[in-house]
Amino acid sequence: MEQNKMGYMPINKLLISMSLPMMISMLIQALYNIVDSMFVAQINEDALTAVSLAFPMQNLMIAVATGTGVGINALLSRSLGQNRKDKASLAAENGLFLALLSSIAFIVIGLTCSKTFFSVQSDNARIVEYGHQYLLIIQGLCFGVFLQITFERILQATGRTIHTMITQGMGAIINIILDPIFIFGYFGIPKMGVAGAAIATVIGQILAMSLACFFNLKFNHDVELSLKGFKPNGSIIGQIYRVGFPSIIMASIGSIMTFGMNQILLAFQSTAAAFFGVYMKLQSFVLMPVFGLNNGLVPIISFNYGAANQERILETIKMGVIYAMSMMGVGLILFEFFPIPLLKIFNASETMIQIGVPGLRIIASHFVFAGLCIVLGTTFQALNRSVYSLINSVCRQLVVLLPVAYVLSLTHNLDLVWLSFPIAEVSSLVLSLIFFKKIYHDQIKKL
């Protein structure tokens, strides 16, 4: 009966029970992101810059893994809502197959292209070498993060978010513990610097993957995972990517945006790019709980759409918007009133503080609007209209943000470049409301 709670439990209680474990685990993930960069920053600013420049490629891997996971999650939850356990199991098995193929592709890219990736971004030999060491390990052993995310999405889709909280939390905590040991060389371990940070990361991911696999095999009775007689199912893969591919593209656009912003900022100075990397880490601490909320929203909305329950869909969206905007409001307060303490976490130089204080305050002005846009985008995905989220993301990050940032950079005033973020978010808000009005009349209202 556990899967049926998405059809009868009061929405507020259901959303909290589904989302809170994920929000906690993602807060731990965000804390790991901050601690990871905090330790790297102790080496020197070039090391921090190198890790910041590696972010687009890391984000691209996460985009492929999580985007595929969105497709698995939506199809699996919808199948359970329709009482089709056989189709749900096929979605899970084919999702794992896709995760394995994706990891192999990124391993090959990492082994052959990681040094070139940094060479085209910077002519600083030390930054290039740091980045090459870091990314070679992260991509060379990326099967851990791909399978971890996929196993966790299967657990989430069947309502077992407490298990994903444990797996994500364990992976992040192990990473945090191992970071200083491998980076600085404690307990007889040789000092490995930036490479040590990468090793700590992949060990955490592989152990979390192993635990998530165990939880699915031991406790998840809503799907049956078996390699015996497995053959890729073209129809199931097509349904997964029909929802997941727009999500992959949408998340990948973030990598393009970050890469482009780094090039704009490096034209000022490398410290500006290092600060942008710091901002992305701090931003994750605000956004991760909202993404945890989204992971609870998707199966609830998908299940009730499969069950044709209009009232529960609308109530879920309403509660999601309230919680998301509230959390982003907390982030706004932190960025506006405590920018210097936040930057000091990363051993910020005086130059970075001069760049970062106005940068954090200007960028954070759009946070509350972003909370609304994120929940509406999640709704589009859950209702099999991921293309709306894709269009919105392309317009916000590529059509508006990057061109506006470039034009403002021509003023040679770095503070003006940060205005591109709130400008882009306003455009995203307008599009999100237009798309939601359409999806309400075309799908929700007709239930």
mmCIF file of all heavy atoms in Angstrom, residues 297-315:
data_model
loop_
_atom_site.group_PDB
_atom_site.id
_atom_site.type_symbol
_atom_site.label_atom_id
_atom_site.label_comp_id
_atom_site.label_asym_id
_atom_site.label_seq_id
_atom_site.Cartn_x
_atom_site.Cartn_y
_atom_site.Cartn_z
ATOM 1 N N LEU A 297 7.883 16.542 -5.366
ATOM 2 C CA LEU A 297 6.759 17.006 -6.181
ATOM 3 C C LEU A 297 6.503 16.109 -7.386
ATOM 4 O O LEU A 297 5.350 15.797 -7.700
ATOM 5 C CB LEU A 297 7.033 18.429 -6.677
ATOM 6 C CG LEU A 297 6.891 19.579 -5.672
ATOM 7 C CD1 LEU A 297 7.442 20.869 -6.273
ATOM 8 C CD2 LEU A 297 5.435 19.763 -5.278
ATOM 9 N N VAL A 298 7.574 15.695 -8.067
ATOM 10 C CA VAL A 298 7.414 14.968 -9.343
ATOM 11 C C VAL A 298 6.579 13.697 -9.196
ATOM 12 O O VAL A 298 5.592 13.518 -9.928
ATOM 13 C CB VAL A 298 8.789 14.658 -9.984
ATOM 14 C CG1 VAL A 298 8.629 13.673 -11.138
ATOM 15 C CG2 VAL A 298 9.449 15.937 -10.476
ATOM 16 N N PRO A 299 6.918 12.779 -8.270
ATOM 17 C CA PRO A 299 6.099 11.562 -8.193
ATOM 18 C C PRO A 299 4.671 11.825 -7.728
ATOM 19 O O PRO A 299 3.749 11.128 -8.160
ATOM 20 C CB PRO A 299 6.864 10.684 -7.184
ATOM 21 C CG PRO A 299 7.730 11.608 -6.419
ATOM 22 C CD PRO A 299 8.071 12.715 -7.358
ATOM 23 N N ILE A 300 4.471 12.840 -6.861
ATOM 24 C CA ILE A 300 3.106 13.134 -6.395
ATOM 25 C C ILE A 300 2.250 13.637 -7.547
ATOM 26 O O ILE A 300 1.118 13.180 -7.762
ATOM 27 C CB ILE A 300 3.128 14.173 -5.255
ATOM 28 C CG1 ILE A 300 3.880 13.633 -4.043
ATOM 29 C CG2 ILE A 300 1.701 14.544 -4.843
ATOM 30 C CD1 ILE A 300 4.085 14.655 -2.938
ATOM 31 N N ILE A 301 2.785 14.606 -8.314
ATOM 32 C CA ILE A 301 2.033 15.151 -9.442
ATOM 33 C C ILE A 301 1.823 14.089 -10.513
ATOM 34 O O ILE A 301 0.717 13.933 -11.050
ATOM 35 C CB ILE A 301 2.753 16.384 -10.019
ATOM 36 C CG1 ILE A 301 2.783 17.521 -8.996
ATOM 37 C CG2 ILE A 301 2.059 16.859 -11.300
ATOM 38 C CD1 ILE A 301 3.611 18.719 -9.423
ATOM 39 N N SER A 302 2.874 13.315 -10.826
ATOM 40 C CA SER A 302 2.756 12.283 -11.863
ATOM 41 C C SER A 302 1.748 11.211 -11.468
ATOM 42 O O SER A 302 0.932 10.780 -12.287
ATOM 43 C CB SER A 302 4.124 11.645 -12.116
ATOM 44 O OG SER A 302 5.031 12.556 -12.674
ATOM 45 N N PHE A 303 1.815 10.774 -10.208
ATOM 46 C CA PHE A 303 0.890 9.742 -9.737
ATOM 47 C C PHE A 303 -0.558 10.221 -9.855
ATOM 48 O O PHE A 303 -1.429 9.514 -10.377
ATOM 49 C CB PHE A 303 1.210 9.378 -8.290
ATOM 50 C CG PHE A 303 0.366 8.261 -7.728
ATOM 51 C CD1 PHE A 303 0.838 6.961 -7.704
ATOM 52 C CD2 PHE A 303 -0.904 8.505 -7.230
ATOM 53 C CE1 PHE A 303 0.060 5.924 -7.189
ATOM 54 C CE2 PHE A 303 -1.687 7.483 -6.709
ATOM 55 C CZ PHE A 303 -1.202 6.195 -6.699
ATOM 56 N N ASN A 304 -0.813 11.431 -9.373
ATOM 57 C CA ASN A 304 -2.188 11.935 -9.368
ATOM 58 C C ASN A 304 -2.663 12.329 -10.757
ATOM 59 O O ASN A 304 -3.870 12.347 -11.021
ATOM 60 C CB ASN A 304 -2.312 13.099 -8.386
ATOM 61 C CG ASN A 304 -2.333 12.621 -6.945
ATOM 62 O OD1 ASN A 304 -3.321 12.098 -6.457
ATOM 63 N ND2 ASN A 304 -1.197 12.771 -6.256
ATOM 64 N N TYR A 305 -1.727 12.622 -11.662
ATOM 65 C CA TYR A 305 -2.128 12.836 -13.046
ATOM 66 C C TYR A 305 -2.539 11.500 -13.670
ATOM 67 O O TYR A 305 -3.542 11.417 -14.394
ATOM 68 C CB TYR A 305 -0.992 13.464 -13.839
ATOM 69 C CG TYR A 305 -1.364 13.797 -15.255
ATOM 70 C CD1 TYR A 305 -2.334 14.761 -15.534
ATOM 71 C CD2 TYR A 305 -0.762 13.136 -16.327
ATOM 72 C CE1 TYR A 305 -2.683 15.062 -16.838
ATOM 73 C CE2 TYR A 305 -1.106 13.427 -17.634
ATOM 74 C CZ TYR A 305 -2.069 14.401 -17.885
ATOM 75 O OH TYR A 305 -2.421 14.691 -19.180
ATOM 76 N N GLY A 306 -1.766 10.449 -13.362
ATOM 77 C CA GLY A 306 -2.143 9.113 -13.830
ATOM 78 C C GLY A 306 -3.485 8.681 -13.256
ATOM 79 O O GLY A 306 -4.247 7.970 -13.914
ATOM 80 N N ALA A 307 -3.797 9.125 -12.027
ATOM 81 C CA ALA A 307 -5.066 8.783 -11.379
ATOM 82 C C ALA A 307 -6.165 9.793 -11.695
ATOM 83 O O ALA A 307 -7.275 9.696 -11.160
ATOM 84 C CB ALA A 307 -4.862 8.706 -9.858
ATOM 85 N N ALA A 308 -5.851 10.822 -12.530
ATOM 86 C CA ALA A 308 -6.825 11.848 -12.958
ATOM 87 C C ALA A 308 -7.423 12.608 -11.788
ATOM 88 O O ALA A 308 -8.620 12.879 -11.745
ATOM 89 C CB ALA A 308 -7.931 11.214 -13.804
ATOM 90 N N ASN A 309 -6.577 12.995 -10.821
ATOM 91 C CA ASN A 309 -7.049 13.717 -9.636
ATOM 92 C C ASN A 309 -6.588 15.178 -9.714
ATOM 93 O O ASN A 309 -5.487 15.526 -9.293
ATOM 94 C CB ASN A 309 -6.514 13.056 -8.362
ATOM 95 C CG ASN A 309 -7.231 13.544 -7.121
ATOM 96 O OD1 ASN A 309 -7.596 14.708 -7.011
ATOM 97 N ND2 ASN A 309 -7.450 12.630 -6.173
ATOM 98 N N GLN A 310 -7.432 16.023 -10.292
ATOM 99 C CA GLN A 310 -7.090 17.428 -10.523
ATOM 100 C C GLN A 310 -6.836 18.185 -9.224
ATOM 101 O O GLN A 310 -5.883 18.965 -9.110
ATOM 102 C CB GLN A 310 -8.223 18.119 -11.293
ATOM 103 C CG GLN A 310 -8.005 19.600 -11.523
ATOM 104 C CD GLN A 310 -9.265 20.314 -11.978
ATOM 105 O OE1 GLN A 310 -9.718 21.241 -11.329
ATOM 106 N NE2 GLN A 310 -9.844 19.894 -13.099
ATOM 107 N N GLU A 311 -7.689 17.961 -8.231
ATOM 108 C CA GLU A 311 -7.594 18.712 -6.980
ATOM 109 C C GLU A 311 -6.249 18.495 -6.290
ATOM 110 O O GLU A 311 -5.624 19.446 -5.809
ATOM 111 C CB GLU A 311 -8.732 18.302 -6.042
ATOM 112 C CG GLU A 311 -8.741 19.074 -4.723
ATOM 113 C CD GLU A 311 -9.882 18.644 -3.808
ATOM 114 O OE1 GLU A 311 -10.744 17.849 -4.250
ATOM 115 O OE2 GLU A 311 -9.893 19.089 -2.648
ATOM 116 N N ARG A 312 -5.790 17.261 -6.248
ATOM 117 C CA ARG A 312 -4.529 16.973 -5.566
ATOM 118 C C ARG A 312 -3.333 17.532 -6.347
ATOM 119 O O ARG A 312 -2.337 17.947 -5.763
ATOM 120 C CB ARG A 312 -4.375 15.461 -5.352
ATOM 121 C CG ARG A 312 -5.318 14.917 -4.286
ATOM 122 C CD ARG A 312 -5.161 13.413 -4.109
ATOM 123 N NE ARG A 312 -3.853 13.053 -3.568
ATOM 124 C CZ ARG A 312 -3.530 13.098 -2.284
ATOM 125 N NH1 ARG A 312 -4.409 13.536 -1.382
ATOM 126 N NH2 ARG A 312 -2.329 12.731 -1.874
ATOM 127 N N ILE A 313 -3.435 17.566 -7.672
ATOM 128 C CA ILE A 313 -2.360 18.158 -8.475
ATOM 129 C C ILE A 313 -2.208 19.639 -8.157
ATOM 130 O O ILE A 313 -1.099 20.131 -7.898
ATOM 131 C CB ILE A 313 -2.639 17.963 -9.978
ATOM 132 C CG1 ILE A 313 -2.546 16.483 -10.354
ATOM 133 C CG2 ILE A 313 -1.664 18.785 -10.825
ATOM 134 C CD1 ILE A 313 -2.989 16.185 -11.774
ATOM 135 N N LEU A 314 -3.314 20.374 -8.161
ATOM 136 C CA LEU A 314 -3.266 21.815 -7.913
ATOM 137 C C LEU A 314 -2.808 22.134 -6.497
ATOM 138 O O LEU A 314 -2.042 23.084 -6.273
ATOM 139 C CB LEU A 314 -4.632 22.437 -8.182
ATOM 140 C CG LEU A 314 -5.095 22.425 -9.646
ATOM 141 C CD1 LEU A 314 -6.518 22.958 -9.772
ATOM 142 C CD2 LEU A 314 -4.145 23.240 -10.509
ATOM 143 N N GLU A 315 -3.262 21.346 -5.544
ATOM 144 C CA GLU A 315 -2.850 21.594 -4.161
ATOM 145 C C GLU A 315 -1.356 21.313 -3.986
ATOM 146 O O GLU A 315 -0.665 22.032 -3.253
ATOM 147 C CB GLU A 315 -3.662 20.719 -3.201
ATOM 148 C CG GLU A 315 -3.450 21.092 -1.733
ATOM 149 C CD GLU A 315 -4.313 20.291 -0.784
ATOM 150 O OE1 GLU A 315 -5.197 19.541 -1.260
ATOM 151 O OE2 GLU A 315 -4.110 20.414 0.441
#
